[in-house]
Amino acid sequence: MKKILFTLLLMLTCQMAFCQKANSVFNDFRDKKHAECVSVPKLMLTIAAAKMKDGNVNALLKEVDEVKILKLTDCSGRVRRKFVKKIKALDGDGYSEFTGMKKGKSEGMSILVKQKGDTIKEIVALSSGSNSCVGILLTGNVNAEDVAALIGIVDD
């Protein structure tokens, strides 16, 4: 009985160690003073998809399970810098940089993705500047073709 209990505890510990890292970063910072966090669940995304006329956007919204938007603009500079550092540390830790741009020393935007095969599991977007910081986390099973189609719409 002790061996079974120990094995279950060990499995639970391992599962917690490999949990979604970006999600835990967002959860760590959502309770900071002056932080604003909005979470949009699957149900709301499904309702929005039903109202969309564009097929590509509709398909993309159906694939997303949750969207979290974390605004740290009104937080202290120390909190913003710490958040940016933790998000950038995800690069190479199961996440890869999809795109990014840097403007000046402290301003920029970067998008990281976590993929499994051709399916994107998470998209982390970070926009930061000297007085602003916003992070967006999309989770789900997103088809890379739908993202490419959406980028094509934006480019047009």
Side-chain angles (χ1 to χ4, degrees), residues 44-62 150 153:
M44 294 300 290
L45 294 169
T46 304
I47 292 169
K51 300 290 183 184
M52 295 302 294
K53 293 179 182 174
D54 187 286
N56 293 324
V57 176
N58 188 336
L60 183 67
L61 286 175
K62 287 181 179 178
L150 186 63
I153 291 169

Side-chain angles (χ1 to χ4, degrees), residues 2 12 14 17 55 57 60 62 66 68 77 89 95 113 115 120 122 126 134 143 145 153:
K2 287 182 180 181
L12 180 64
C14 289
V57 176
L60 183 67
K62 287 181 179 178
E66 182 181 27
K68 285 185 180 180
Y95 296 82
V113 295
Q115 283 185 258
I120 298 172
E122 293 181 27
L126 173 67
V134 178
N143 184 339
E145 292 173 5
I153 291 169

Side-chain angles (χ1 to χ4, degrees), residues 74-91:
D74 296 331
C75 293
S76 69
R78 189 176 131 268
V79 170
R80 291 192 308 263
R81 286 188 300 274
K82 196 171 182 182
F83 179 74
V84 169
K85 185 177 179 182
K86 286 199 174 205
I87 292 295
K88 288 186 177 183
L90 293 173
D91 189 12

